Amino acid sequence: MRFRFTPEEEAFREEIRAFLREELPAGWAESGGGGVFGEAAEDRYQFLRDFQRKLSQRGWLTLGWPKEHGGMAAGHMMQVIYSEEMAYNRAPTQVGVGPDRVGPTIILAGTKEQKARHLPGIAGAETVWCQGFSEPGSGSDLASLQTRAEADGDFFVVNGQKIWTSIAHKADWCVLLVRTDPDAPKHKGISYLLVDMTLPGIEVRPLVDLTDRHTFNEVFFDNVRVPRDCLVGELNQGWYIAAATLDFERSGINRVVAGIRIFEELAAYCRQRANGERPADRAGVGEKLAELALEFQIGRLMAYRVASMQARGQVPNAEASLSKVFGSELQQRLADAALNILGLPAQLTAVSAGAPLGGRLHEYYLSTAGLTIAAGTSEIQRNIIAGRGLGLPRG
Ligand SMILES: Cc1cc2nc3c(=O)[nH]c(=O)nc-3n(C[C@H](O)[C@H](O)[C@H](O)COP(=O)(O)OP(=O)(O)OC[C@H]3O[C@@H](n4cnc5c(N)ncnc54)[C@H](O)[C@@H]3O)c2cc1C
């Protein structure tokens, strides 16, 4: 077993660190960056867009894309290093799902015209994309989705509703899964469309989340006429097209590393004396922090394992689910531990002088709730681990 990064990988890590020192405002990471799902916070939005353009100029927005499409063709370990450094420094990586999901999908399955039309805008951080997959009755069982698209000459006429559509209110385009054959078995009657969000008949309604932020939306489609050339791949093959991009980096290292940063801040706070008391002197605090330190080491190794499998051309199934469950639930355990250790002051916000960890803990606690739901719930991940990982029958 060779367990270290190559000199080239280490040099890349240093390059990212130097870039972030130069480009992030002073105290950005210490003040919490954008939060767990902070991309839509109004006061940060313009900064995020500008920062994304700087990442684009370096080619980092499209690190894993093939060179012929403007990418850097970087391997999975390079992508992991990038994700790791960005997450540790709380640097904003991308707005919407263009670079990591839509671009790879168009590269794999799009037409020549779709590539020419959309890839430069995504790579250049000019267009913002949202993902219209989930519906009120279809989340975990996504293949049961009901939004319909009926062919009408050179158009599809789309009717239905999507929900939890992150950043739809800022998005220029949406990748939309629609039912095009209601009579086919559910996975086989779905198509994948690229939808211009300015088309008549699209209505975006805000959903404010439990941290009081507007990131989610409901999106309604009322007889929206989408040109037929916006279909990606073949008709009724949308399910498989959406699944095909899973090969792009999905180690989950960013989840673990985001938690490590907060864990380090919590440990530092516990070492200090405040108001005559030092949290670390209290019974059980050291033990709890040591337990979390252990878990973060495990989480990091699980993410590296996924990346190293991908680097060797293997497809991690149960391994990616293990990393996802462990990394997301670990952040919830950390948030829970922080609130228990620090007690009521942990609920203070940044406006209160002396609030622990800059008054960010209560929001961190609330926002970690979504981590075990987004990108496949913990229950669904456990089903995958049981079925594909352990060979157990479906319950
Ligand atoms: C932060 C965040 C961002 C999101 N962004 C987007 C986005 O941009 N675009 C988009 O399309 N969607 C987005 N979603 C939606 C997300 O994909 C869904 O919430 C998720 O797939 C779960 O679906 P659901 O909410 O309908 O819950 P359901 O599927 O209804 O599940 C409800 C509960 O039942 C459990 N459950 C369901 N089926 C099973 C089963 N077979 N076995 C055991 N337990 C089961 C689930 O684990 C869950 O606890 C986002 C969600 C979050 C939290």
Side-chain angles (χ1 to χ4, degrees), residues 37 131 133-134 139-140 164-166 216 370 373-374 377 379-380 383:
F37 298 114
Q131 178 171 285
F133 286 8
S134 306
S140 302
W164 314 124
T165 323
S166 305
F216 291 136
I373 302 171
T377 68
E379 289 78 14
I380 296 300
N383 286 349

Side-chain angles (χ1 to χ4, degrees), residues 206-252:
L207 285 174
V208 175
D209 70 18
L210 79 174
T211 67
D212 218 17
R213 282 188 171 172
H214 171 202
T215 304
F216 291 136
N217 300 276
E218 294 178 290
V219 185
F220 295 85
F221 297 85
D222 180 12
N223 286 316
V224 178
R225 295 180 72 78
V226 179
R228 259 195 105 101
D229 62 9
C230 293
L231 172 72
V232 179
E234 287 179 29
L235 193 67
N236 298 321
Q237 292 297 305
W239 180 260
Y240 306 98
I241 290 164
T245 40
L246 283 182
D247 188 40
F248 284 80
E249 201 273 299
R250 60 186 190 124
S251 67

Side-chain angles (χ1 to χ4, degrees), residues 46-323:
Q46 196 49 49
F47 170 74
L48 301 189
R49 293 296 306 273
D50 294 343
F51 192 78
Q52 202 185 14
R53 284 190 191 100
K54 290 181 183 169
L55 295 176
S56 153
Q57 282 157 13
R58 293 250 166 175
W60 293 348
L61 215 51
T62 52
L63 204 55
W65 289 21
K67 286 195 173 144
E68 67 263 34
H69 296 300
M72 295 184 82
H76 285 92
M77 291 316 289
M78 294 291 252
Q79 294 178 57
V80 161
I81 289 167
Y82 174 72
S83 299
E84 204 171 9
E85 288 305 318
M86 298 296 280
Y88 187 75
N89 291 287
R90 296 181 171 136
T93 45
Q94 61 177 42
V95 180
V97 293
D100 67 340
R101 278 174 246 172
V102 183
T105 306
I106 293 176
I107 289 169
L108 277 177
T111 61
K112 221 169 116 194
E113 290 72 29
Q114 287 167 347
K115 287 175 186 160
R117 180 169 186 195
H118 295 297
L119 295 181
I122 296 173
E126 297 305 329
T127 46
V128 173
W129 288 73
C130 64
Q131 178 171 285
F133 286 8
S134 306
E135 297 183 2
S138 304
S140 302
D141 182 17
L142 185 59
S144 66
L145 61 90
Q146 295 298 316
T147 295
R148 292 273 295 266
E150 287 170 78
D152 179 16
D154 288 340
F155 293 86
F156 290 105
V157 181
V158 178
N159 281 288
Q161 184 198 343
K162 297 291 173 177
I163 196 168
W164 314 124
T165 323
S166 305
I167 208 96
H169 57 302
K170 305 276 192 193
D172 306 296
W173 287 84
C174 177
V175 282
L176 195 68
L177 287 182
V178 288
R179 186 154 302 284
T180 35
D181 184 351
D183 300 322
K186 59 183 183 178
H187 293 88
K188 298 192 168 158
I190 293 172
S191 297
Y192 192 111
L193 299 180
L194 308 174
V195 176
D196 179 345
M197 289 294 281
T198 62
L199 286 177
I202 298 180
E203 188 191 347
V204 178
R205 292 188 202 157
L207 285 174
V208 175
D209 70 18
L210 79 174
T211 67
D212 218 17
R213 282 188 171 172
H214 171 202
T215 304
F216 291 136
N217 300 276
E218 294 178 290
V219 185
F220 295 85
F221 297 85
D222 180 12
N223 286 316
V224 178
R225 295 180 72 78
V226 179
R228 259 195 105 101
D229 62 9
C230 293
L231 172 72
V232 179
E234 287 179 29
L235 193 67
N236 298 321
Q237 292 297 305
W239 180 260
Y240 306 98
I241 290 164
T245 40
L246 283 182
D247 188 40
F248 284 80
E249 201 273 299
R250 60 186 190 124
S251 67
I253 190 71
N254 50 334
R255 267 191 298 271
V256 178
V257 172
I260 287 176
R261 181 85 196 217
I262 295 174
F263 171 69
E264 288 175 358
E265 289 168 347
L266 176 65
Y269 187 85
C270 289
R271 286 194 295 269
Q272 286 167 10
R273 195 171 290 280
N275 303 322
E277 194 231 24
R278 190 166 59 172
D281 293 331
R282 268 187 272 130
V285 170
E287 198 179 349
K288 186 76 214 166
L289 292 176
E291 191 181 305
L292 286 165
L294 188 72
E295 290 189 287
F296 276 112
Q297 288 285 357
I298 295 168
R300 194 194 281 268
L301 294 177
M302 286 170 112
Y304 283 170
R305 180 185 181 204
V306 172
S308 74
M309 284 180 74
Q310 289 187 294
R312 279 178 278 133
Q314 297 168 353
V315 179
N317 266 319
E319 295 82 0
S321 293
L322 282 164
S323 176

